[in-house]
Amino acid sequence: MQNLNCSIADRSEMVREPQSRSLERSFAPARFCAEVGRLAVRSLYQELVLYPKPGLVSLIDNGSHQDMDASTFMRSLFSLRGYFVSITAAGMERASFEQLRTLGIEAEARMMRATGGVNTHRGAIFCLGMLCAAVGAAYVQKNAQKNTLSPAAIRANVLAHWGEALERHSLMHAATSHGGEVARKYKVGGAGEEAALGFPAIFDIALPQLQKSQSAGVSWHASKIDTLFLLMSHIHDSNVYSRGGASGAEIVRNSARQFMEAGGTSRVDWKSRAIAVHHDFVRRGLSPGGAADLLAASCFAYQASTIMLPFMVS
């Protein structure tokens, strides 16, 4: 009888152990998605609290905007929490671009309800959402070492799984959207083209700057300032073209370029210089919202690739 009892106990333990492992396997991806979603929301918050931020909404003032303030952005942030988790999970399942796009459209509707019809994060819903999906795909593929994700792995997954669809979307976006109309009018690239190319503004411009600044011991705040100004000096921002036309876009790029060429935040007087640019943009009604969205997405990609993401290996 003793042997039988031992046998039953052993068999019972054998049954429980695989069930426990199964629960861990099913729970780990959910916790991973929650962590990615948290990083995404945090990156948007890190963009919001940045100041001086030329023409943009911050905790200090509304920049060039009369229809939104920091509280509008906070309501928007809370409305998007579930979206970033869901689109990360969709990326794990290699969901089609149309499925991802549907999630984005639903998120945009929630954002609009939360803000009373104000567009605070439409661009971020698209670019940051695609990065979350790519991180989810990387989780499944184990495109990570020592529980971290490389920027190259994130970008590679964007292009590998949704590159062709993003090219088609870029053409449709150019033909039907307001941003596409601006791009056609001024003969510049738009958000759709940026995505179809694998977000070069993020991976070729912003991330190297963030990495350089952080490696040099620059504060996170100053690193974001320099990265924002660098983005402003390079990209063709449809928000700026809509508000200021070609001349306004040239002012934004030149102002940002001069700030960086003079040393960026390495200068003792950098803050007063950045505030002067901010006031000039407000006076002119200019707001580089596209650069702000790309900054948030870049912060996300940087932190996803440097912060230990538990459950990367289940």
Side-chain angles (χ1 to χ4, degrees):
M1 181 65 72
Q2 184 178 1
N3 289 338
L4 178 60
N5 287 339
C6 289
S7 176
I8 292 173
D10 291 344
R11 287 159 61 189
S12 176
E13 191 64 26
M14 288 172 64
V15 170
R16 283 197 300 270
E17 186 176 350
Q19 285 179 336
S20 175
R21 289 175 182 169
S22 176
L23 286 173
E24 288 174 3
R25 281 195 295 270
S26 64
F27 191 51
R31 294 180 69 180
F32 179 80
C33 290
E35 175 72 2
V36 174
R38 184 186 67 82
L39 284 178
V41 171
R42 187 171 77 169
S43 72
L44 291 176
Y45 181 75
Q46 288 174 338
E47 184 278 319
L48 172 62
V49 300
L50 191 63
Y51 182 86
K53 196 171 50 177
L56 297 163
V57 173
S58 70
L59 301 184
I60 305 301
D61 60 42
N62 299 350
S64 300
H65 298 271
Q66 302 298 319
D67 59 343
M68 62 181 81
D69 56 22
S71 66
T72 317
F73 275 77
M74 289 301 296
R75 292 196 301 274
S76 179
L77 282 176
F78 279 106
S79 76
L80 296 176
R81 289 177 298 173
Y83 163 66
F84 293 122
V85 176
S86 297
I87 201 166
T88 303
M92 287 183 176
E93 298 172 357
R94 315 300 209 286
S96 68
F97 177 74
E98 281 306 311
Q99 290 173 300
L100 301 185
R101 185 169 176 268
T102 297
L103 290 174
I105 291 171
E106 292 170 352
E108 185 176 318
R110 287 193 295 273
M111 174 196 73
M112 289 296 193
R113 288 195 296 272
T115 63
V118 178
N119 170 26
T120 47
H121 288 119
R122 182 177 291 152
I125 287 171
F126 178 60
C127 65
L128 191 49
M130 289 304 306
L131 295 188
C132 286
V135 168
Y139 175 92
V140 174
Q141 289 185 332
K142 307 301 183 191
N143 276 343
Q145 296 177 352
K146 298 181 180 178
N147 292 3
T148 61
L149 288 162
S150 70
I154 299 172
R155 188 179 194 180
N157 274 281
V158 170
L159 293 172
H161 299 297
W162 303 288
E164 292 183 4
L166 283 168
E167 287 183 16
R168 293 192 296 272
H169 175 72
S170 175
L171 294 174
M172 181 186 72
H173 184 269
T176 61
S177 70
H178 173 67
E181 180 182 348
V182 170
R184 289 196 309 275
K185 180 177 179 180
Y186 295 103
K187 296 181 174 58
V188 295
E193 180 181 338
E194 170 74 12
L197 294 173
F199 299 104
I202 294 173
F203 293 100
D204 296 339
I205 298 172
L207 271 175
Q209 178 63 48
L210 282 174
Q211 292 163 341
K212 175 184 174 183
S213 294
Q214 289 293 281
S215 296
V218 177
S219 72
W220 181 238
H221 180 87
S223 296
K224 290 187 294 178
I225 291 287
D226 283 337
T227 302
L228 175 63
F229 272 84
L230 188 64
L231 282 166
M232 287 162 47
S233 72
H234 277 80
I235 70 169
H236 295 286
D237 194 327
S238 62
N239 294 276
V240 175
Y241 279 99
S242 294
R243 286 172 165 264
S247 61
E250 190 64 20
I251 288 169
V252 169
R253 284 194 297 272
N254 285 339
S255 297
R257 189 177 299 116
Q258 290 166 10
F259 178 84
M260 292 303 292
E261 288 177 350
T265 60
S266 67
R267 284 182 49 148
V268 175
D269 63 343
W270 75 264
K271 189 170 184 179
S272 63
R273 294 176 62 247
I275 289 175
V277 176
H278 174 54
H279 290 161
D280 182 55
F281 282 19
V282 171
R283 182 176 63 82
R284 297 175 186 273
L286 300 173
S287 177
D293 291 335
L294 290 170
L295 173 66
S298 300
C299 289
F300 168 79
Y302 177 81
Q303 291 171 123
S305 65
T306 56
I307 293 176
M308 295 294 287
L309 289 176
F311 320 110
M312 194 64 206
V313 180
S314 58

